């Protein structure tokens, strides 16, 4: 429901509170699919300016300790990036699940300018990326550069 609303849409405060509290509880549900849906639902309700935002705290907790890779992947993709959340996202670049590792690089490529990152963060990303298995690296590069590759190929004909 929330994802179909426009960027400037507003909802009733009572409805907001019900969704907010209900979905925060669902972040701890025992069923992984429910946790993924809760992560996706809460995406637009997080407040990156609030250092104690319960949604961001929930996402950080999921990224750190959830046992299901798909739930960690959803949290990586949904979390608002700021100075507090960037390092935990980068650390997921060493996740045991290749889908989570790939999501880290996709999110960072889409949302963060490399120049805005600390040099230590850049080095960590580079080291972790080079240690990724080749299939994951290739898939990431092809997905992100397919437009470039297509333009290059057309230009060489």
């Amino acid at each position: 429901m929330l994802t179909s609303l426009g960027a400037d849409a507003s909802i009733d405060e009572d409805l907001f509170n019900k969704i907010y509290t209900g979905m925060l509880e669902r972040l701890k549900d025992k069923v992984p699919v429910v946790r993924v849906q809760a992560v996706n639902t809460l995406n637009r309700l997080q407040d990156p300016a609030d250092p104690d935002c319960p949604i961001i705290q929930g996402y950080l907790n999921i990224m750190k300790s959830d046992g299901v890779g798909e739930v960690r992947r959803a949290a990586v993709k949904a979390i608002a990036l700021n100075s507090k959340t960037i390092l935990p996202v980068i650390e997921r670049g060493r996740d045991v699940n290749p889908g989570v590792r790939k999501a880290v690089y996709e999110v960072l490529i889409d949302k963060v300018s490399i120049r805005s990152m600390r040099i230590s963060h850049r080095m960590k990303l580079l080291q972790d990326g080079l240690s990724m298995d080749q299939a994951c690296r290739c898939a990431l590069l092809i997905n992100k550069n397919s437009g470039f590759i297509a333009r290059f190929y057309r230009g060489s004909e």
Side-chain angles (χ1 to χ4, degrees):
M1 180 177 99
L2 292 177
T3 55
S4 64
L5 295 175
D8 58 344
S10 63
I11 59 173
D12 181 57
E13 188 172 343
D14 290 336
L15 178 60
F16 171 83
N17 289 331
K18 286 179 183 178
I19 293 171
Y20 190 82
T21 56
M23 290 299 111
L24 279 175
E25 290 174 21
R26 296 287 65 93
L27 286 178
K28 300 172 187 165
D29 198 277
K30 67 179 183 175
V31 179
V33 174
V34 173
R35 293 194 305 271
V36 169
Q37 288 302 313
V39 166
N40 294 334
T41 300
L42 289 169
N43 185 17
R44 291 186 59 183
L45 303 179
Q46 61 187 314
D47 182 8
D50 179 6
D52 299 320
C53 176
I55 296 171
I56 292 176
Q57 294 301 322
Y59 287 170
L60 291 171
N61 187 43
I62 285 172
M63 288 190 312
K64 182 178 178 183
S65 61
D66 197 288
V68 179
E70 190 59 32
V71 180
R72 292 191 309 274
R73 181 178 169 272
V76 164
K77 289 185 132 195
I79 196 164
L81 295 177
N82 59 30
S83 59
K84 182 180 177 182
T85 61
I86 191 81
L87 186 57
V89 169
I90 291 171
E91 288 172 351
R92 289 295 92 210
R94 292 194 153 235
D95 198 279
V96 296
N97 184 300
V100 176
R101 293 192 306 264
K102 184 179 172 190
V104 167
Y105 289 90
E106 289 173 343
V107 165
L108 293 174
I109 287 169
D110 290 341
K111 295 182 180 179
V112 179
S113 165
I114 193 75
R115 293 176 189 250
S116 66
M117 296 174 63
R118 293 181 181 168
I119 292 175
S120 61
H121 293 166
R122 295 180 207 177
M123 293 297 296
K124 185 166 181 48
L125 277 172
L126 185 59
Q127 289 169 344
D128 294 347
L130 290 174
S131 66
M132 254 197 248
D133 62 347
Q134 186 175 358
C136 189
R137 269 196 318 262
C138 288
L140 179 62
L141 288 172
I142 289 169
N143 287 342
K144 289 300 170 183
N145 292 315
S146 60
F148 171 76
I149 292 169
R151 287 191 306 273
F152 179 77
Y153 181 72
R154 280 192 300 260
S156 66
E157 292 181 340

